Amino acid sequence: MLAIRAFREGDEAALLRVHRSAIRTIAARDYTPEQIDAWAPEDADLAAWAERMRRNQPFVAVLDEGIVGYADVQADGHIDHFFVSGEHPRRRIGTRLMACLHEEAARRGLAELHADVSATAEPFFARHGFVVVRRQRPVRRGVTLHNALMRKRLG
Ligand SMILES: CC(C)(COP(=O)(O)OP(=O)(O)OC[C@H]1O[C@@H](n2cnc3c(N)ncnc32)[C@H](O)[C@@H]1OP(=O)(O)O)[C@@H](O)C(=O)NCCC(=O)NCCS
């Protein structure tokens, strides 16, 4: 059964596996191999990754087999990471994580949620009430990607 819990120190490596799996399996439909390598590099800086996860303090989705998704919300309503493993698509894991972010936003009295959303995740965020503010072309490792700043006003 799916459970959602707070991040714990020691989760970092499993979260990196989910991140890679989501991008390499699901987002790979909407991005070129060069873009995928720039977004989810094989030679990621593991110390920097762990530091980012500890700073973000994501909610973590867990099935019997282990961690299958994670998502965070920051103090200003920014969602930095939102990923579900490519081995568990369309099983409402993202929906459960999104509900959790909304509950957390309500607890903190946030006025809005916003995220830089991949082309792959855009229909999912739209379904959850986010709208595109602007389209963006971020550069990672010298490679231009495409995403959209999406926002949802709360309350
Ligand atoms: C986007 C993502 C988080 C969705 O997670 P998920 O657990 O598969 O989503 P859910 O099962 O809760 O989907 C709920 C609804 O969202 C929509 N949706 C989800 N994934 C979709 C997709 N790839 N294309 C179109 N609609 C999608 C559908 O309406 C879906 O309902 P349905 O399955 O009954 O049609 C996941 O696919 C992912 O991690 N993608 C790749 C990484 C990425 O781009 N992350 C976001 C960076 S901002």
Side-chain angles (χ1 to χ4, degrees):
M1 206 180 66
L2 184 70
I4 309 282
R5 63 160 172 80
F7 170 82
R8 293 181 199 143
E9 294 226 0
D11 286 341
E12 298 88 346
L15 299 187
L16 181 57
R17 284 195 291 277
V18 168
H19 181 260
R20 282 197 175 132
S21 163
I23 294 171
R24 294 190 170 272
T25 309
I26 305 175
R29 294 176 205 145
D30 300 300
Y31 293 86
T32 66
E34 191 191 22
Q35 288 174 319
I36 294 297
D37 282 340
W39 186 7
E42 297 289 357
D43 62 342
D45 178 339
L46 298 182
W49 171 268
E51 171 56 29
R52 187 171 189 168
M53 292 303 108
R54 288 197 284 264
R55 195 175 56 234
N56 281 358
Q57 292 290 310
F59 293 97
V60 175
V62 187
L63 284 175
D64 289 343
E65 57 261 51
I67 293 176
V68 293
Y70 69 99
D72 64 271
V73 57
Q74 302 305 307
D76 62 354
H78 179 64
I79 299 168
D80 188 37
H81 275 204
F82 197 122
F83 291 96
V84 172
S85 153
E87 287 157 36
H88 301 82
R90 307 295 274 262
R91 287 176 53 183
R92 302 279 148 158
I93 297 168
T95 296
R96 284 280 302 278
L97 283 166
M98 188 60 96
C100 200
L101 297 193
H102 279 72
E103 285 162 20
E104 183 66 13
R107 266 196 295 275
R108 296 190 202 167
L110 297 181
E112 66 168 56
L113 291 171
H114 57 267
D116 297 320
V117 178
S118 71
T120 311
E122 197 176 310
F124 171 81
F125 275 77
R127 176 165 171 152
H128 288 284
F130 288 72
V131 296
V132 173
V133 177
R134 65 169 177 270
R135 301 217 170 263
Q136 312 177 123
R137 299 185 72 74
V139 177
R140 299 253 178 105
R141 294 189 166 208
V143 179
T144 303
L145 306 178
H146 49 280
N147 65 23
L149 172 62
M150 295 184 80
R151 179 169 61 203
K152 179 175 180 178
R153 295 200 190 281
L154 304 173

